Amino acid sequence: NEYPLAVQHLQTAVFQARERGFLGESILGSKFNFDIEIFKGAGAFVCGESTALVLSIEGKRGFPKAMPRPRTTEVGLWGKPTLLNNVKTYANIPLILKNGWRWLAYRGTETSKGTAVFSLTGKVVNSGLIEVEMGTRLREIIYDIGGGIPGGRAFKAVQTGGPSGGCLPAELLDMPVDFDSLTAAGSMMGSGGMVVMDQDTCMVDVARYFLDFTQRESCGQCVPCRVGTKQMYAILDRITKSRGKKGDIELLLELGRSIKETSICALGQSAPNPVLSTIRYFRDEYE
């Protein structure tokens, strides 16, 4: 429900495909039947987790299931085997079937094959959706494709992976963008978000902003995520109001690591990333 324009475009595309005989029964005169239905959820961030998404589509509360559990490919929607993937994953399948796996593996790095789609936003001249080969360096994305920082201002950081991704500093601009490199640097590929920040950005404010979002979006099922993110936010809020005290940074690090290690799903396991990465690379701003 948070994406009315995207839903409208998809509904138009589905209608056109059905009108031309690409969807529905007896497709193009064959015995093959296939259809697409668009389901609108309530907009819970936690429903990006597969088991929470299944429950949401079934009309139940979007609570991720704790491990161990059967995979959705075994027990998914209404107890039946279900393939849950992002649209960009499915979009690759016809091309791989048509061109072969070597066509995809030819692009990218040793451990991250193919291309990646990013939403390039923030303090950058050219914003929008981009598709780059895995292993493309951050500098190339931000300066060659993005056109650099407006007004000749200095680059400060870029957050990759969405609201729970890490913030990477200028010294990592020549880092290749792939799954392993981003994870090692304290960030992630995630949903493909990429927010560029300039010299005037306060990194403590940035951490507080994104943690505020993830703690509000917590489903509340597990204590580390429900309570831990709220405690981290309270500390960050104090620091940004000039009421920080000795030991706050160490406590944020301890809380962040504990939440990552003990939360049920990837929301809690990644929510501390903006805080941990900004302390790692911009600790002087906290101090």
Side-chain angles (χ1 to χ4, degrees), residues 129-147:
L129 290 170
I130 62 168
E131 183 176 13
V132 295
E133 191 170 330
M134 286 282 195
T136 302
R137 301 191 182 277
L138 281 170
R139 187 183 300 277
E140 186 179 339
I141 292 172
I142 295 166
Y143 284 93
D144 295 350
I145 300 172

mmCIF file of all heavy atoms in Angstrom, residues 129-147:
data_model
loop_
_atom_site.group_PDB
_atom_site.id
_atom_site.type_symbol
_atom_site.label_atom_id
_atom_site.label_comp_id
_atom_site.label_asym_id
_atom_site.label_seq_id
_atom_site.Cartn_x
_atom_site.Cartn_y
_atom_site.Cartn_z
ATOM 1 N N LEU A 129 17.567 4.831 -10.727
ATOM 2 C CA LEU A 129 17.894 3.402 -10.711
ATOM 3 C C LEU A 129 19.042 3.118 -11.673
ATOM 4 O O LEU A 129 19.032 3.589 -12.807
ATOM 5 C CB LEU A 129 16.682 2.567 -11.108
ATOM 6 C CG LEU A 129 15.538 2.513 -10.095
ATOM 7 C CD1 LEU A 129 14.320 1.859 -10.714
ATOM 8 C CD2 LEU A 129 15.961 1.755 -8.843
ATOM 9 N N ILE A 130 20.025 2.360 -11.211
ATOM 10 C CA ILE A 130 21.166 2.010 -12.065
ATOM 11 C C ILE A 130 21.406 0.499 -11.994
ATOM 12 O O ILE A 130 21.079 -0.137 -10.984
ATOM 13 C CB ILE A 130 22.451 2.757 -11.641
ATOM 14 C CG1 ILE A 130 22.859 2.367 -10.210
ATOM 15 C CG2 ILE A 130 22.262 4.263 -11.754
ATOM 16 C CD1 ILE A 130 24.252 2.839 -9.820
ATOM 17 N N GLU A 131 21.963 -0.054 -13.046
ATOM 18 C CA GLU A 131 22.382 -1.462 -13.053
ATOM 19 C C GLU A 131 23.859 -1.510 -13.410
ATOM 20 O O GLU A 131 24.270 -0.957 -14.433
ATOM 21 C CB GLU A 131 21.568 -2.281 -14.055
ATOM 22 C CG GLU A 131 21.937 -3.760 -14.033
ATOM 23 C CD GLU A 131 21.068 -4.603 -14.957
ATOM 24 O OE1 GLU A 131 20.346 -4.025 -15.793
ATOM 25 O OE2 GLU A 131 21.120 -5.845 -14.844
ATOM 26 N N VAL A 132 24.643 -2.112 -12.529
ATOM 27 C CA VAL A 132 26.093 -2.182 -12.746
ATOM 28 C C VAL A 132 26.583 -3.614 -12.579
ATOM 29 O O VAL A 132 25.937 -4.433 -11.921
ATOM 30 C CB VAL A 132 26.868 -1.260 -11.762
ATOM 31 C CG1 VAL A 132 26.540 0.202 -12.017
ATOM 32 C CG2 VAL A 132 26.581 -1.638 -10.311
ATOM 33 N N GLU A 133 27.715 -3.894 -13.168
ATOM 34 C CA GLU A 133 28.323 -5.208 -13.016
ATOM 35 C C GLU A 133 28.849 -5.371 -11.594
ATOM 36 O O GLU A 133 29.385 -4.434 -11.005
ATOM 37 C CB GLU A 133 29.481 -5.334 -14.015
ATOM 38 C CG GLU A 133 30.030 -6.731 -14.143
ATOM 39 C CD GLU A 133 30.993 -6.864 -15.307
ATOM 40 O OE1 GLU A 133 30.834 -6.129 -16.301
ATOM 41 O OE2 GLU A 133 31.906 -7.715 -15.217
ATOM 42 N N MET A 134 28.659 -6.549 -11.018
ATOM 43 C CA MET A 134 29.217 -6.836 -9.697
ATOM 44 C C MET A 134 30.728 -6.589 -9.712
ATOM 45 O O MET A 134 31.410 -7.005 -10.651
ATOM 46 C CB MET A 134 28.942 -8.287 -9.299
ATOM 47 C CG MET A 134 27.514 -8.554 -8.907
ATOM 48 S SD MET A 134 27.151 -7.997 -7.237
ATOM 49 C CE MET A 134 25.606 -8.859 -6.967
ATOM 50 N N GLY A 135 31.212 -5.913 -8.682
ATOM 51 C CA GLY A 135 32.630 -5.606 -8.634
ATOM 52 C C GLY A 135 32.951 -4.186 -9.081
ATOM 53 O O GLY A 135 34.095 -3.737 -8.965
ATOM 54 N N THR A 136 31.930 -3.472 -9.597
ATOM 55 C CA THR A 136 32.125 -2.068 -9.954
ATOM 56 C C THR A 136 32.485 -1.283 -8.698
ATOM 57 O O THR A 136 31.902 -1.499 -7.631
ATOM 58 C CB THR A 136 30.836 -1.481 -10.584
ATOM 59 O OG1 THR A 136 30.480 -2.251 -11.727
ATOM 60 C CG2 THR A 136 31.031 -0.037 -10.985
ATOM 61 N N ARG A 137 33.425 -0.365 -8.793
ATOM 62 C CA ARG A 137 33.879 0.362 -7.607
ATOM 63 C C ARG A 137 32.922 1.504 -7.254
ATOM 64 O O ARG A 137 32.278 2.086 -8.124
ATOM 65 C CB ARG A 137 35.300 0.885 -7.828
ATOM 66 C CG ARG A 137 36.283 -0.244 -8.117
ATOM 67 C CD ARG A 137 37.731 0.162 -8.089
ATOM 68 N NE ARG A 137 38.566 -0.988 -8.415
ATOM 69 C CZ ARG A 137 38.941 -1.933 -7.544
ATOM 70 N NH1 ARG A 137 38.545 -1.838 -6.283
ATOM 71 N NH2 ARG A 137 39.679 -2.954 -7.913
ATOM 72 N N LEU A 138 32.856 1.791 -5.958
ATOM 73 C CA LEU A 138 31.970 2.848 -5.472
ATOM 74 C C LEU A 138 32.261 4.179 -6.162
ATOM 75 O O LEU A 138 31.348 4.934 -6.493
ATOM 76 C CB LEU A 138 32.129 3.014 -3.952
ATOM 77 C CG LEU A 138 31.420 1.997 -3.069
ATOM 78 C CD1 LEU A 138 31.876 2.145 -1.627
ATOM 79 C CD2 LEU A 138 29.903 2.150 -3.160
ATOM 80 N N ARG A 139 33.542 4.479 -6.382
ATOM 81 C CA ARG A 139 33.915 5.742 -7.020
ATOM 82 C C ARG A 139 33.286 5.871 -8.407
ATOM 83 O O ARG A 139 32.800 6.939 -8.797
ATOM 84 C CB ARG A 139 35.436 5.844 -7.123
ATOM 85 C CG ARG A 139 35.935 7.190 -7.628
ATOM 86 C CD ARG A 139 37.445 7.206 -7.788
ATOM 87 N NE ARG A 139 38.138 6.935 -6.538
ATOM 88 C CZ ARG A 139 38.386 7.872 -5.604
ATOM 89 N NH1 ARG A 139 37.989 9.116 -5.794
ATOM 90 N NH2 ARG A 139 39.047 7.540 -4.499
ATOM 91 N N GLU A 140 33.299 4.772 -9.156
ATOM 92 C CA GLU A 140 32.721 4.784 -10.504
ATOM 93 C C GLU A 140 31.220 5.031 -10.456
ATOM 94 O O GLU A 140 30.665 5.774 -11.272
ATOM 95 C CB GLU A 140 33.034 3.457 -11.204
ATOM 96 C CG GLU A 140 32.603 3.412 -12.661
ATOM 97 C CD GLU A 140 32.942 2.092 -13.322
ATOM 98 O OE1 GLU A 140 33.831 1.375 -12.834
ATOM 99 O OE2 GLU A 140 32.285 1.782 -14.344
ATOM 100 N N ILE A 141 30.554 4.398 -9.479
ATOM 101 C CA ILE A 141 29.107 4.565 -9.342
ATOM 102 C C ILE A 141 28.758 6.009 -8.970
ATOM 103 O O ILE A 141 27.878 6.632 -9.568
ATOM 104 C CB ILE A 141 28.546 3.588 -8.282
ATOM 105 C CG1 ILE A 141 28.656 2.143 -8.786
ATOM 106 C CG2 ILE A 141 27.098 3.924 -7.939
ATOM 107 C CD1 ILE A 141 28.302 1.091 -7.750
ATOM 108 N N ILE A 142 29.444 6.550 -7.970
ATOM 109 C CA ILE A 142 29.092 7.874 -7.441
ATOM 110 C C ILE A 142 29.542 9.009 -8.353
ATOM 111 O O ILE A 142 28.805 9.978 -8.567
ATOM 112 C CB ILE A 142 29.678 8.043 -6.019
ATOM 113 C CG1 ILE A 142 29.007 7.040 -5.067
ATOM 114 C CG2 ILE A 142 29.514 9.475 -5.514
ATOM 115 C CD1 ILE A 142 29.706 6.865 -3.743
ATOM 116 N N TYR A 143 30.730 8.886 -8.949
ATOM 117 C CA TYR A 143 31.274 9.991 -9.745
ATOM 118 C C TYR A 143 31.029 9.840 -11.248
ATOM 119 O O TYR A 143 30.619 10.791 -11.914
ATOM 120 C CB TYR A 143 32.770 10.158 -9.454
ATOM 121 C CG TYR A 143 33.013 10.841 -8.123
ATOM 122 C CD1 TYR A 143 33.208 10.095 -6.961
ATOM 123 C CD2 TYR A 143 33.013 12.227 -8.019
ATOM 124 C CE1 TYR A 143 33.403 10.710 -5.739
ATOM 125 C CE2 TYR A 143 33.204 12.855 -6.795
ATOM 126 C CZ TYR A 143 33.400 12.100 -5.659
ATOM 127 O OH TYR A 143 33.584 12.715 -4.445
ATOM 128 N N ASP A 144 31.267 8.648 -11.803
ATOM 129 C CA ASP A 144 31.092 8.474 -13.250
ATOM 130 C C ASP A 144 29.618 8.376 -13.642
ATOM 131 O O ASP A 144 29.175 8.990 -14.610
ATOM 132 C CB ASP A 144 31.841 7.236 -13.744
ATOM 133 C CG ASP A 144 33.347 7.376 -13.586
ATOM 134 O OD1 ASP A 144 33.800 8.501 -13.275
ATOM 135 O OD2 ASP A 144 34.072 6.381 -13.764
ATOM 136 N N ILE A 145 28.861 7.583 -12.881
ATOM 137 C CA ILE A 145 27.431 7.416 -13.175
ATOM 138 C C ILE A 145 26.613 8.486 -12.469
ATOM 139 O O ILE A 145 25.749 9.119 -13.065
ATOM 140 C CB ILE A 145 26.940 6.004 -12.749
ATOM 141 C CG1 ILE A 145 27.722 4.932 -13.517
ATOM 142 C CG2 ILE A 145 25.442 5.861 -12.990
ATOM 143 C CD1 ILE A 145 27.444 3.514 -13.043
ATOM 144 N N GLY A 146 26.911 8.708 -11.188
ATOM 145 C CA GLY A 146 26.136 9.672 -10.397
ATOM 146 C C GLY A 146 26.504 11.119 -10.653
ATOM 147 O O GLY A 146 25.778 12.027 -10.239
ATOM 148 N N GLY A 147 27.630 11.369 -11.299
ATOM 149 C CA GLY A 147 28.009 12.738 -11.605
ATOM 150 C C GLY A 147 28.634 13.498 -10.456
ATOM 151 O O GLY A 147 28.844 14.710 -10.540
#
